């Protein structure tokens, strides 16, 4: 990456009705260009971090990916635009320098595919050939990854994304910079701890999930330190699954997003085993069967899953969508 330079920030005039957030005063932006040493599909790599189409933390506007986050130094907004083989980067906010420094990791610079053999299956070989820029990025925003994974436990994706949008908009911090629409970074650890029970209920999140988020936030600082110091994905899984309310699925989702874990598999996912089985064998399978199918790529199983998703091969829908249950009026 080239050295970041300041640029004049535009004023963000938007305001979200019904929230307690004021617009962050404009600050000079940091601008730089990141030139990866590998092919990079910026959209497929970074937009993987989005939680539904209306995620207030990640917006795609034309060719620009906007991302709001809560860094160790404060809130930051990133704008990433592909420019030939490079990425033009602009960042605003107190955490701008941290966010800019982590752009390479977000874009998969630390992803190591060595030892991965795509030729073991023709579909994977084809997907790898057609998607050379698919990288496994990492945010290094551990608690935000954990919280979002907890939101997605035991509910439909639509319910989880809706609850995430409400909580982040109500209790997060307004993202600085000229964002294309009002955006918000997730709450700080203290912010997560202070969310009242009735707000979780209004957002549509069930008590087991909200309790798990708050209990994890109570241990947030020490939890993140231990996870960052862990030797590998298995060690991180042992730490995460030792917490009440966090199982293998939540652990895997957290490690995939925060650390770009190339071997994490979200065992217990409602659809994943069926999709992997259909793609690799033409027939459904369960979690045990999925793990057996993925065993030849041990160490790179998440990469296989992402390539299968990129292949476009999916199991035909067998019935009506699961109707989301709204418990907010109970």
């Amino acid at each position: 990456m080239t050295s970041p330079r300041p640029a004049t920030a535009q004023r963000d005039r938007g305001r979200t009705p019904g929230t307690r957030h004021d617009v962050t005063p404009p600050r000079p932006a940091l601008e730089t260009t990141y030139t990866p040493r590998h092919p990079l599909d910026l959209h497929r790599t970074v937009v993987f971090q989005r939680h539904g189409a209306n995620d207030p933390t990640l917006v795609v506007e034309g060719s620009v990916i906007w991302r709001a986050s809560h860094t160790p130094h404060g809130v930051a907004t990133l704008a990433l635009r592909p420019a030939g083989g490079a990425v033009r980067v602009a960042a605003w906010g107190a955490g701008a320098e941290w966010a800019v420094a982590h752009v390479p990791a977000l874009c998969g610079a630390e992803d190591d595919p060595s030892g991965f053999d795509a030729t073991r299956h023709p579909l994977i070989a084809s997907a790898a050939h057609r998607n050379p820029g698919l990288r496994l990025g990492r945010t290094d925003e551990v608690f935000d990854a954990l919280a979002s994974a907890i939101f997605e436990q035991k509910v439909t994706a639509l319910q989880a994304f809706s609850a995430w949008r409400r909580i982040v908009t109500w209790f997060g911090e307004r993202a600085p910079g000229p964002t294309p629409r009002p955006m918000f970074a997730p709450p700080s650890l203290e912010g997560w701890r202070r969310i009242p029970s009735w707000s979780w209920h209004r957002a549509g999140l069930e008590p087991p999930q909200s309790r798990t988020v708050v209990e994890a936030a109570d241990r947030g600082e020490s939890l993140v330190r231990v996870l960052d110091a862990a030797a590998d994905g298995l060690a991180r899984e042992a730490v995460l699954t030792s917490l009440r309310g966090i199982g293998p699925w939540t652990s895997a989702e957290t490690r995939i997003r925060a650390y770009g874990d190339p071997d994490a598999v979200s065992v217990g996912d409602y659809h994943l085993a069926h999709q992997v089985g259909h793609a690799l064998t033409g027939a459904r399978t369960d979690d045990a069967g999925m793990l057996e199918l993925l065993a030849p790529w041990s160490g790179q199983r998440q990469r296989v899953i992402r390539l299968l998703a990129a292949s476009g091969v999916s199991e035909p829908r067998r019935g009506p969508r699961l109707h989301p249950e709204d418990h907010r009026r109970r």
Side-chain angles (χ1 to χ4, degrees), residues 9-289:
Q10 300 177 26
R11 182 178 298 275
D12 181 2
R13 297 184 177 86
R15 188 181 181 91
T16 303
T19 71
R20 59 181 179 80
H21 307 281
D22 293 327
V23 176
T24 303
R27 296 187 180 187
L30 292 180
E31 293 185 351
T32 188
T33 299
Y34 167 56
T35 303
R37 299 179 180 178
H38 49 76
L40 174 63
D41 184 330
L42 181 67
H43 187 278
R44 195 178 291 278
T45 299
V46 176
V47 179
F48 173 81
Q49 299 287 347
R50 183 168 61 179
H51 305 288
N54 297 311
D55 185 354
T57 72
L58 198 154
V59 171
V60 179
E61 182 77 6
S63 63
V64 182
I65 300 170
W66 295 83
R67 186 169 185 273
S69 62
H70 210 122
T71 80
H73 304 288
V75 172
T77 302
L78 271 178
L80 306 174
R81 183 196 302 270
V87 180
R88 293 180 61 186
V89 181
W92 295 262
E97 290 187 8
W98 188 96
V100 167
H102 282 73
V103 164
L106 182 65
C107 293
E110 298 179 24
D111 180 23
D112 182 9
S114 60
F116 174 63
D117 184 2
T119 65
R120 289 179 176 271
H121 192 283
L123 179 60
I124 297 171
S126 174
H129 177 73
R130 290 185 290 107
N131 297 276
L134 191 156
R135 308 289 296 184
L136 306 185
R138 56 184 290 167
T139 66
D140 290 293
E141 295 153 9
V142 180
F143 193 83
D144 292 347
L146 174 58
S148 66
I150 295 169
F151 271 65
E152 295 171 24
Q153 295 174 347
K154 300 181 181 178
V155 295
T156 68
L158 289 176
Q159 286 175 292
F161 296 157
S162 178
W164 173 259
R165 181 179 70 251
R166 292 185 179 111
I167 289 294
V168 170
T169 301
W170 295 343
F171 296 98
E173 188 169 339
R174 181 69 175 268
T179 57
R181 65 174 186 249
M183 294 178 63
F184 296 85
S188 65
L189 283 171
E190 184 61 25
W192 285 115
R193 296 173 188 133
R194 291 179 176 272
I195 296 173
S197 59
W198 57 86
S199 293
W200 293 110
H201 186 74
R202 285 181 58 217
L205 200 69
E206 297 181 5
Q209 281 71 58
S210 60
R211 181 175 58 246
T212 300
V213 173
V214 174
E215 288 181 354
D218 285 339
R219 303 175 60 179
E221 292 88 351
S222 60
L223 176 62
V224 171
R225 282 197 301 270
V226 172
L227 288 169
D228 284 343
D232 54 26
L234 288 176
R236 291 185 177 117
E237 178 167 23
V239 173
L240 286 165
T241 55
S242 69
L243 303 176
R244 184 172 72 157
I246 297 176
W249 186 91
T250 307
S251 168
E253 290 291 309
T254 302
R255 291 180 285 122
I256 291 164
R257 294 179 182 275
Y259 295 109
D261 189 329
D263 197 45
V265 180
S266 300
V267 173
D269 190 276
Y270 185 75
H271 298 289
L272 183 61
H274 296 164
Q275 292 169 343
V276 170
H278 176 79
L280 294 181
T281 69
R284 279 189 166 203
T285 190
D286 56 13
D287 282 335

